[in-house]
């Protein structure tokens, strides 16, 4: 399970780092200004923060509890979670990376018109991520025998 968690964490933190750097460069170079800065950061980066916080808090919780390893989840569930995560972070990233190549008159409207694509898919991986990073699915059940 820890290896699976690490792969998911690398995906989420790696892509989040790209978002951060691109948005920072766009902000510093005045590609975005005024209200555009707020809208770009809240659309592209801030939605990633809850998932990143959940990932970090789980690693810290397990470290404090001395948990070194958990049994891995099924390969199907891991692949499903990884693919959903990759889609969820890739589509907004592609939209953000495409943005500098167009020169819209109103960048906020340009982003908002295309955001429906992101809104539809951004909720998909969160339940599966919660399972990997916050679920206590390995807890053994106790049965009462009469």
């Amino acid at each position: 399970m820890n290896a699976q968690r690490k792969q998911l964490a690398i995906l989420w933190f790696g892509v989040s780092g790209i978002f951060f750097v691109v948005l920072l460069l766009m902000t510093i170079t005045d590609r975005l200004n005024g209200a555009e800065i707020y809208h770009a950061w809240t659309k592209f980066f801030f939605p990633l923060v809850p998932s990143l916080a959940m990932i970090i808090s789980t690693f810290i919780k397990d470290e404090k509890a001395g948990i070194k390893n958990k049994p891995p989840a099924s390969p199907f569930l891991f692949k499903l979670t990884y693919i959903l995560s990759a889609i969820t972070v890739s589509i907004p990233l592609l939209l953000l990376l495409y943005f500098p190549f167009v020169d819209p008159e109103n960048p906020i409207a340009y982003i908002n018109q295309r955001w429906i694509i992101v809104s539809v898919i951004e909720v998909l991986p969160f339940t599966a991520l919660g399972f990997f990073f916050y679920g206590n699915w390995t807890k053994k059940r106790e049965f009462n025998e009469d």
Side-chain angles (χ1 to χ4, degrees):
M1 177 66 117
N2 282 347
Q4 293 171 330
R5 283 181 173 180
K6 286 177 184 175
Q7 288 180 24
L8 287 167
I10 289 168
L11 171 67
W12 279 88
F13 277 94
V15 174
S16 296
I18 294 169
F19 272 110
F20 182 81
V21 169
V22 169
L23 286 169
L24 186 64
L25 289 174
M26 289 175 78
T27 302
I28 291 171
T29 61
D30 289 333
R31 179 67 173 111
L32 298 170
N33 52 49
E36 295 171 356
I37 295 170
Y38 171 81
H39 284 284
W41 281 90
T42 56
K43 290 275 189 191
F44 290 107
F45 188 74
F46 291 159
L48 300 171
V49 172
S51 296
L52 300 176
M54 179 178 56
I55 292 168
I56 291 170
S57 66
T58 303
F59 282 131
I60 291 170
K61 178 186 66 126
D62 285 354
E63 186 71 28
K64 285 178 75 174
I67 298 171
K68 298 295 179 200
N69 205 356
K70 289 184 177 180
S74 72
F76 171 77
L77 182 60
F78 173 71
K79 286 177 187 173
L80 178 66
T81 304
Y82 195 88
I83 289 168
L84 289 175
S85 294
I87 290 169
T88 299
V89 296
S90 296
I91 290 178
L93 182 62
L94 291 173
L95 183 58
L96 179 65
L97 294 176
Y98 179 71
F99 182 75
F101 296 106
V102 295
D103 195 19
E105 188 174 311
N106 184 346
I108 295 171
Y110 176 84
I111 291 170
N112 285 338
Q113 288 170 352
R114 285 146 184 85
W115 200 252
I116 189 66
I117 300 166
V118 177
S119 297
V120 171
I121 59 133
E122 70 183 354
V123 297
L124 293 176
F126 295 118
T127 300
L129 276 176
F131 168 79
F132 273 91
F133 287 97
Y134 228 63
N136 192 11
W137 61 277
T138 60
K139 186 177 180 180
K140 294 182 181 179
R141 294 182 183 179
E142 295 180 21
F143 296 97
N144 292 329
E145 293 183 20
D146 294 329

